[in-house]
Amino acid sequence: MTDPDRQPSPDRPSELLSEGSREEAIDALTRLEAADADARKRAIRTLRDLAETESSAFDGLATPLTTFLNDEERAIRLTTAKLFVALARSGPAVVRPVVDALAARSADDEEFYYVRARCAEALGYVALDHPDAVSDPELLADLRVRLSFDEPEVREKLAKTLAYVAIGDPSRLRHQVSSLAEHLDDDSELVRYYLCTALVAIGCEHPSKLADARDSLARLLDDERPYVRGRAAEALGLLVRVGDVDVRSPDRTEPDDDDAAAFVASRLQFLDAARDGEVPAATADGVGTLAALRSETEAVVESMLSADDEECSRCGLTLPKGGPPVCPGCGAPN
């Protein structure tokens, strides 16, 4: 017989899910709401680990899990938001029923900004495969408006979500080109990159709409970040193909990194060919196509971020630029 006063096991929900016992897992989650903060935190963290490999096991659990998005402990709300990101990345259909809850938490100005950022990120992953689920005009307007004033970490996730909305359905944002272009001068390279990606996605099906972003995109041909330059050139190439648009060649030299150089070069070639009227309907490497955007966007961001990594001079451990003052591996000053 179960002792009602006994502290529920934090590992129990994930164990039950792994066994396929969803109803029992939901019951275990309900009982965990009354557990102490450490138990709740451990339970959500364990579920997040499971979500990365077995997202299908969470079918029907998204709604019960939203309870922890409103937990009194900020760390638990953040861990829960990260859990939803993991689920949305690997099994977006599982998260679709709780889009409204994620949108509400993302838009809550009183919420910790990292929680808001992760909730916005989860919405983006859902939008890739289920664009109709993230199509509410008020939600999309909120994402755009907060690009003007939110924390940098949140703006990056908002821009990512808008890019994924556009990749999922380019028509959703086709009337918002001007408002997106207003933020192409953001200090964050990720914001600039994601918004350029959104514009490329729009241009794949509505290239003439990019005329409203022409000047902003042209300025980015000299951006200090190669992947931003490449995406801007790609968007301009799509625009040039459908209209008499004068776009000068960029002044910047190519980056030292081979992958980045190849990325920029292929898109500058796309732009040059478009100006000469030589671009076929589809290029061999997928430049200017939604399929390429869908498959490569995340990998490009990983390359952008890894390019900013540094190495410890003593032990060689990879450290993020601007990371901790002391190497966690050997204790040497960073």
Side-chain angles (χ1 to χ4, degrees):
M1 182 174 180
T2 302
D3 183 353
D5 296 324
R6 183 181 178 184
Q7 180 85 286
S9 169
D11 297 323
R12 189 61 176 154
S14 61
E15 292 171 355
L16 289 167
L17 281 181
S18 294
E19 297 168 1
S21 305
R22 288 188 178 86
E23 294 302 322
E24 291 89 339
I26 292 173
D27 181 63
L29 283 173
T30 301
R31 287 186 284 110
L32 268 169
E33 293 175 28
D36 62 40
D38 287 341
R40 300 198 306 277
K41 187 187 306 182
R42 178 178 166 184
I44 299 301
R45 187 180 296 119
T46 303
L47 286 168
R48 187 184 70 188
D49 293 340
L50 180 65
E52 294 176 351
T53 57
E54 299 183 43
S55 61
S56 60
F58 287 78
D59 188 26
L61 256 76
T63 298
L65 284 169
T66 57
T67 297
F68 298 97
L69 278 178
N70 298 291
D71 196 280
E72 61 184 15
E73 293 287 334
R74 186 173 73 181
I76 294 172
R77 298 197 303 276
L78 178 56
T79 304
T80 304
K82 290 179 179 179
L83 164 59
F84 277 114
V85 170
L87 282 174
R89 182 189 291 124
S90 57
V94 173
V95 180
R96 181 174 180 169
V98 298
V99 160
D100 290 344
L102 289 167
R105 182 54 64 216
S106 175
D108 186 354
D109 291 337
E110 296 184 1
E111 179 56 273
F112 181 45
Y113 64 93
Y114 276 120
V115 175
R116 291 189 283 113
R118 291 300 187 180
C119 287
E121 184 177 18
L123 290 171
Y125 283 118
V126 174
L128 268 178
D129 288 342
H130 304 280
D132 57 315
V134 191
S135 61
D136 180 76
E138 291 186 9
L139 168 57
L140 297 179
D142 177 71
L143 295 173
R144 296 195 313 274
V145 168
R146 286 192 289 130
L147 284 171
S148 299
F149 63 84
D150 224 320
E151 299 283 347
E153 294 84 357
V154 182
R155 296 202 309 274
E156 291 172 358
K157 300 304 185 186
L158 297 173
K160 178 177 182 177
T161 299
L162 289 166
Y164 284 3
V165 166
I167 294 171
D169 181 358
S171 296
R172 295 292 180 191
L173 298 176
R174 70 186 186 280
H175 299 304
Q176 308 302 328
V177 169
S178 294
S179 61
L180 296 177
E182 290 175 2
H183 303 284
L184 289 177
D185 61 351
D186 195 279
D187 291 340
S188 166
E189 68 169 310
L190 284 178
V191 171
R192 300 195 303 277
Y193 170 77
Y194 278 127
L195 293 183
C196 281
T197 299
L199 292 172
V200 171
I202 294 168
C204 286
E205 292 191 3
H206 308 280
S208 63
K209 293 292 185 181
L210 299 183
D212 291 338
R214 175 201 171 279
D215 292 342
S216 297
L217 288 167
R219 284 191 288 271
L220 290 183
L221 291 178
D222 290 322
D223 194 271
E224 62 181 352
R225 297 298 189 173
Y227 288 107
V228 175
R229 297 204 301 277
R231 278 288 186 248
E234 189 173 2
L236 288 168
L238 291 168
L239 175 60
V240 169
R241 289 167 64 180
V242 297
D244 183 14
V245 180
D246 181 27
V247 179
R248 64 170 179 79
S249 298
D251 298 328
R252 296 189 65 91
T253 58
E254 294 309 310
D256 294 332
D257 177 80
D258 290 343
D259 290 340
F263 184 90
V264 175
S266 63
R267 282 149 183 82
L268 288 177
Q269 290 169 5
F270 179 78
L271 173 57
D272 289 341
R275 285 188 295 204
D276 296 337
E278 298 175 354
V279 179
T283 62
D285 51 3
V287 177
T289 66
L290 288 173
L293 291 178
R294 180 179 289 271
S295 65
E296 73 187 6
T297 295
E298 192 124 329
V300 167
V301 171
E302 290 177 2
S303 295
M304 292 169 66
L305 297 177
S306 64
D308 285 338
D309 288 344
E310 299 175 339
E311 287 188 356
C312 172
S313 58
R314 176 184 291 178
C315 70
L317 181 69
T318 299
L319 302 170
K321 185 172 289 186
V326 176
C327 174
C330 67
N334 182 13

